[in-house]
């Protein structure tokens, strides 16, 4: 037998393993997904995206996994320094996307990941409803402790001025001027720790009144120790780490269409 013929027969063309999925359509769809993600935020820098799906899965409208990272994102008024997220079992109209149609979510997406917020992010986010409502709930609980009797709880819109948040090791410092409906100005300064009480709740740990925002020690607020804040059933906090100047949150949440 001819040696060249033998070489051809002994080195057949290698076939693509059946487990190796075609990625042609995913490369076409990736810009549409990136565009949709950018449309969900007010601002974002260095958005990195990886789609893990084969062509058949995409054409059926399912992406098993998307991993993304971004820096300096603003979502619904919340400023986020760094984001690392993974979405699973994402069902969208990708069959239409490859024909030029806009991408749409068909079902809620379970998302898990890690978010880093710096102190400057929190202070820049104080006008956002998502954060403002949490701060308002926190201050209403503070008023109910009985220490600020002149501030009216009947006021539906608490008038807060000079609100500031400082992040310390395992603690958060909140300071503000609270103006009641009668015009009385009450200075607020409170330092407290936070812990995960349940997947859907955070609780206060050893909150203290401070004579002023720079004070190192204050008076314990026993009535608020262990007070819990609900984050909603669609959010599950796995870990919350408070450090000087930043907070890191690891969580799972459900993103609705």
């Amino acid at each position: 037998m001819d040696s060249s013929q033998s070489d051809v027969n002994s080195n057949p063309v290698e076939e693509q393993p059946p487990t190796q999925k075609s990625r042609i359509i995913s490369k076409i769809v990736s810009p549409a997904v990136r565009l949709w993600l950018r449309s969900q935020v007010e601002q974002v820098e260095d958005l990195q995206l990886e789609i893990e799906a084969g062509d058949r899965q995409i054409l059926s409208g399912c992406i098993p996994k998307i991993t993304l990272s971004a820096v300096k994102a603003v979502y619904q008024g919340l400023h986020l320094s760094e984001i690392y997220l993974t979405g699973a079992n994402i069902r969208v109209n990708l069959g239409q996307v490859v024909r030029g149609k806009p991408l749409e979510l068909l079902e809620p997406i379970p998302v898990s990941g890690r978010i880093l917020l710096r102190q400057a992010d929190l202070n820049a986010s104080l006008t956002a409803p998502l954060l403002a409502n949490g701060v308002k709930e926190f201050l209403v609980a503070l008023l109910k402790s009985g220490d600020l009797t002149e501030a009216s709880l009947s006021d539906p819109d608490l008038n807060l001025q000079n609100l500031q948040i400082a992040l310390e090791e395992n603690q958060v410092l909140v300071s503000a001027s609270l103006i009641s409906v009668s015009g009385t100005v009450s200075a607020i300064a409170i330092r407290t720790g936070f812990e995960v009480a349940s997947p859907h709740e955070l609780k206060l740990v050893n909150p203290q009144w401070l004579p002023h925002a720079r004070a190192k020690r204050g008076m314990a607020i026993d009535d608020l120790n262990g007070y819990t804040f609900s984050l909603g059933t669609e959010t599950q906090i796995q870990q919350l780490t408070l450090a000087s100047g930043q907070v890191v949150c690891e969580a799972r949440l459900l993103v609705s269409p």
Side-chain angles (χ1 to χ4, degrees):
M1 180 181 295
D2 186 89
S3 59
S4 60
Q5 182 66 34
S6 175
D7 289 341
V8 170
N9 291 336
S10 62
N11 294 283
V13 176
E14 293 185 4
E15 295 182 0
Q16 185 182 43
T19 57
Q20 185 69 30
K21 300 173 183 176
S22 173
R23 306 287 184 180
I24 298 176
I25 295 181
S26 67
K27 292 180 180 180
I28 298 175
V29 170
S30 182
V33 177
R34 185 183 299 272
L35 181 63
W36 180 85
L37 288 170
R38 287 187 176 275
S39 72
Q40 302 303 301
V41 295
E42 300 160 41
Q43 173 185 318
V44 66
E45 296 182 13
D46 193 23
L47 176 62
Q48 301 294 324
L49 176 68
E50 182 179 354
I51 296 177
E52 298 185 21
D55 288 352
R56 290 185 179 180
Q57 292 170 313
I58 290 177
L59 291 174
S60 70
C62 176
I63 302 178
K65 184 179 180 181
I66 289 182
T67 302
L68 69 88
S69 64
V71 299
K72 296 183 180 179
V74 181
Y75 174 72
Q76 295 187 14
L78 294 180
H79 293 245
L80 312 169
S81 281
E82 298 177 10
I83 303 173
Y84 304 91
L85 298 177
T86 299
N89 299 321
I90 303 163
R91 297 195 174 276
V92 293
N93 62 330
L94 287 175
Q96 296 178 352
V97 169
V98 296
R99 295 194 292 271
K101 300 293 183 179
L103 185 143
E104 297 178 1
L105 293 182
L106 302 181
E107 297 178 2
I109 305 174
V111 174
S112 62
R114 174 179 176 270
I115 297 175
L116 168 66
L117 295 92
R118 304 191 190 279
Q119 182 171 299
D121 296 326
L122 288 173
N123 285 298
S125 305
L126 286 173
T127 57
L130 287 177
L131 183 60
N133 290 340
V135 172
K136 179 177 177 180
E137 180 183 352
F138 176 78
L139 292 177
V140 166
L142 188 65
L143 293 171
K144 287 181 177 179
S145 69
D147 294 280
L148 295 177
T149 56
E150 295 186 19
S152 175
L153 289 174
S154 63
D155 184 3
D157 298 310
L158 294 178
N159 187 359
L160 300 174
Q161 294 185 4
N162 305 319
L163 181 63
Q164 294 290 321
I165 297 177
L167 297 174
E168 304 174 347
E169 197 72 27
N170 299 319
Q171 293 182 320
V172 176
L173 172 65
V174 180
S175 61
S177 296
L178 177 63
I179 303 177
S180 70
V181 291
S182 63
T184 301
V185 179
S186 301
I188 295 176
I190 182 173
R191 180 184 287 119
T192 183
F194 282 92
E195 287 184 357
V196 178
S198 73
H200 309 294
E201 295 178 317
L202 294 177
K203 70 177 180 180
L204 302 184
V205 179
N206 299 324
Q208 293 183 336
W209 279 111
L210 302 176
H212 52 81
R214 295 184 180 181
K216 293 185 178 180
R217 293 185 179 182
M219 181 179 64
I221 312 174
D222 294 333
D223 291 345
L224 291 183
N225 190 32
Y227 182 86
T228 59
F229 295 87
S230 175
L231 302 174
T233 57
E234 295 183 349
T235 302
Q236 295 185 20
I237 300 294
Q238 297 173 300
Q239 185 172 351
L240 185 71
T241 305
L242 291 169
S244 179
Q246 67 180 40
V247 57
V248 177
C249 179
E250 297 182 14
R252 295 178 180 176
L253 63 153
L254 199 63
V255 178
S256 300

